Amino acid sequence: MKNVDDVARELGADIPECTCEEVRDHLFELLDKEMEEDEMGRLKAHAESCPDCTEATEAEKHMREVIRRSCTESAPESLRAKVTGLTRR
């Protein structure tokens, strides 16, 4: 199955090829949607069609989810008491 950029290139559009290095360099902006729509679409199309970039993207998404879950947990009361005691010294 062809992606939109491949079809556009066949029709004569001047769309630069996306590389794995480019996806890796802009992975955070891509996942955070902090880039222009056309650029994001180009990188996303490559990331979805390239096994290595798909793996890197999924790994980053997984890591973000682990961090997100971890940030919602409260510290145990014993740890809170210890840290409070150390900061009062």
Side-chain angles (χ1 to χ4, degrees):
M1 178 178 223
K2 294 180 183 179
N3 67 39
V4 174
D5 288 345
D6 291 337
V7 173
R9 278 187 203 90
E10 288 176 2
L11 295 173
D14 185 26
I15 299 172
E17 289 289 329
C18 185
T19 64
C20 296
E21 181 179 7
E22 191 174 2
V23 171
R24 284 191 307 270
D25 288 347
H26 299 284
L27 184 57
F28 299 143
E29 295 96 333
L30 176 63
L31 293 176
D32 294 337
K33 298 177 182 168
E34 295 178 344
M35 55 187 0
E36 297 293 324
E37 287 289 327
D38 57 338
E39 185 70 5
M40 189 167 59
R42 194 173 68 81
L43 294 176
K44 187 176 179 183
H46 176 87
E48 291 174 350
S49 65
C50 170
D52 291 336
C53 290
T54 297
E55 184 178 340
T57 302
E58 292 303 314
E60 180 61 27
K61 286 179 182 178
H62 177 73
M63 183 60 67
R64 288 174 177 217
E65 181 57 33
V66 168
I67 292 169
R68 190 174 298 116
R69 281 191 311 237
S70 297
C71 291
T72 61
E73 298 174 9
S74 296
E77 192 56 42
S78 60
L79 177 60
R80 289 174 180 265
K82 186 175 184 177
V83 170
T84 301
L86 290 172
T87 58
R88 289 185 181 164
R89 290 185 183 177

